Amino acid sequence: MAVQRKWNVGPAWLVGSVNQFAELVCRTSFSFHEGASQPEEMVKQAASLGLHSVAITDRDGVYGLPRAHRAAQKYGVRIIPGALLTIEEGPGVALLAHDMGGWSQLSRLITEARSNMKKGWGCIPFLSLLERASGMDAILLGDWTEARIHLAREAFGGNLSIALTRHLDSQDAQRWDKRALLSAKTHVPLVATGDVLMHTHHRAPLQDVLTCIRRKCTIDQAGTTLQANASRILRSPTAIQRLFSTAPCSIERSIEVANRCQFS
C-alpha cells in the first residue's frame, strides 16, 4: 500500500501553500532523441493548463526558442529562455536567463559546450559553469555531490535550486529522501519540476522510439533505459499540488525563480 511520505528537513523548504506553478525544465523535439513534443505544443499545452510560465530548456542549445516565442505570443503564456547543459563528469544543470547579461553568459556556455564535441553533442567543464554564473538561475538535476553543490552555491548564491521530481516509479521515495537531505545540508532550496519530455502522455510511444534511436537498440533491447511510465509531462497547478503536497515550498520556489527571469 502506498504511504504518504513527509520529510523533516526544515521549514524553509517544505512548508507553505501554493496556487500557481511554473514549469522550469522542458525538453522539446530540439533536444534530439529526448524531447517528444514540438515547442509549439509545449507552449499551447502550458497555456491550456493555466501555468504561470514555462521554461524551454533544450539540451545544450536554444534552437527551439524562436518557435516557442511565436507560440507564446499566440497563446498568451510567458516563456523563459534557457538550456539544459551537459557537465563533464557530472549530471546536468538547467540554466535560465534573467536578463540580457544572463542570456549572453548562457550563449557563451553553449558555444563552449558545442565547440569541442561532434555535431549534435555538447559538454562543458564544471569550472566553466562556475565562472559564468551571473545573470542566471541554475537548477541542478540528477545526482549531484554535496561538495559540488557547495561550489555551485558559492557561484550562483540564492539563484541556485535543487530539482525535486516525481516520476511515479519505484525510485521516487529514495530520490526524494536524497534531494531533501542535500537541500538541508547545503541550504539550497528545492524546486518542483516535472523534468518534462512531452506535452501529454500520448507521446510516450514516440518518446520510447526516440530513446531507442539514441541508444541504437530495439524496443525489446532497451530495457530500463525507457521511461518507466508517461509521467514526464506538463501538469496543471492543481495536479502539481497533489504530487508535491509534502513539499509545497518547492512549488512556491518555481514562481520565485520564474519571476526573476524577465528576459524574452
Side-chain angles (χ1 to χ4, degrees):
M1 183 178 69
V3 176
Q4 183 86 348
R5 300 177 65 89
K6 293 183 180 291
W7 293 269
N8 183 22
V9 299
W13 301 285
L14 295 178
V15 240
S17 58
V18 291
N19 53 23
Q20 290 183 309
F21 175 64
E23 181 50 73
L24 301 177
V25 185
C26 285
R27 274 169 272 187
T28 75
S29 55
F30 284 85
S31 292
F32 299 114
H33 302 158
E34 290 187 89
S37 296
Q38 299 288 335
E40 297 91 340
E41 293 173 320
M42 288 288 193
V43 172
K44 182 179 180 180
Q45 182 72 351
S48 68
L49 292 172
L51 295 184
H52 173 279
S53 48
V54 59
I56 303 299
T57 56
D58 281 314
R59 172 80 66 180
D60 300 314
V62 293
Y63 308 111
L65 280 173
R67 287 169 56 172
H69 179 71
R70 289 193 294 271
Q73 292 178 316
K74 178 179 179 179
Y75 296 111
V77 65
R78 187 166 76 90
I79 64 165
I80 300 170
L84 176 61
L85 293 192
T86 307
I87 308 297
E88 286 181 0
E89 300 179 353
V93 56
L95 298 177
L96 310 175
H98 294 169
D99 48 29
M100 181 60 76
W103 177 252
S104 178
Q105 296 283 52
L106 178 59
S107 299
R108 290 188 175 97
L109 284 169
I110 292 172
T111 299
E112 180 180 353
R114 294 281 188 174
S115 62
N116 296 318
M117 302 289 290
K118 66 180 181 179
K119 186 176 181 180
W121 297 86
C123 192
I124 58 167
F126 181 57
L127 181 60
S128 295
L129 175 69
L130 301 182
E131 290 174 343
R132 296 194 180 278
S134 62
M136 295 183 291
D137 256 80
I139 300 173
L140 305 179
L141 294 115
D143 294 324
W144 283 74
T145 66
E146 187 177 339
R148 278 200 165 186
I149 293 175
H150 280 298
L151 290 172
R153 185 169 181 264
E154 289 178 9
F156 285 93
N159 298 331
L160 183 70
S161 304
I162 296 172
L164 188 64
T165 59
R166 286 293 306 275
H167 293 166
L168 306 180
D169 59 19
S170 61
Q171 302 301 311
D172 256 357
Q174 181 181 355
R175 191 181 299 119
W176 271 52
D177 285 342
K178 187 171 184 178
R179 302 295 182 271
L181 184 60
L182 281 172
S183 175
K185 285 184 174 180
T186 61
H187 300 286
V188 174
L190 299 166
V191 64
T193 174
D195 192 10
V196 172
L197 296 175
M198 45 199 162
H199 71 295
T200 75
H201 67 275
H202 299 294
R203 288 295 168 84
L206 175 58
Q207 214 286 319
D208 287 346
V209 171
L210 294 174
T211 298
C212 290
I213 294 172
R214 187 174 75 250
R215 299 284 183 175
K216 299 181 180 179
C217 66
T218 67
I219 288 285
D220 292 337
Q221 296 167 336
T224 58
T225 63
L226 300 176
Q227 297 297 313
N229 51 49
S231 66
R232 295 176 69 174
I233 60 174
L234 287 172
R235 297 181 187 274
S236 69
T238 299
I240 289 293
Q241 287 174 42
R242 288 197 298 267
L243 285 176
F244 293 86
S245 60
T246 55
C249 268
S250 69
I251 309 176
E252 290 182 342
R253 178 69 172 176
S254 76
I255 303 300
E256 179 186 338
V257 172
N259 287 339
R260 280 198 291 269
C261 300
Q262 295 299 317
F263 179 75
S264 63

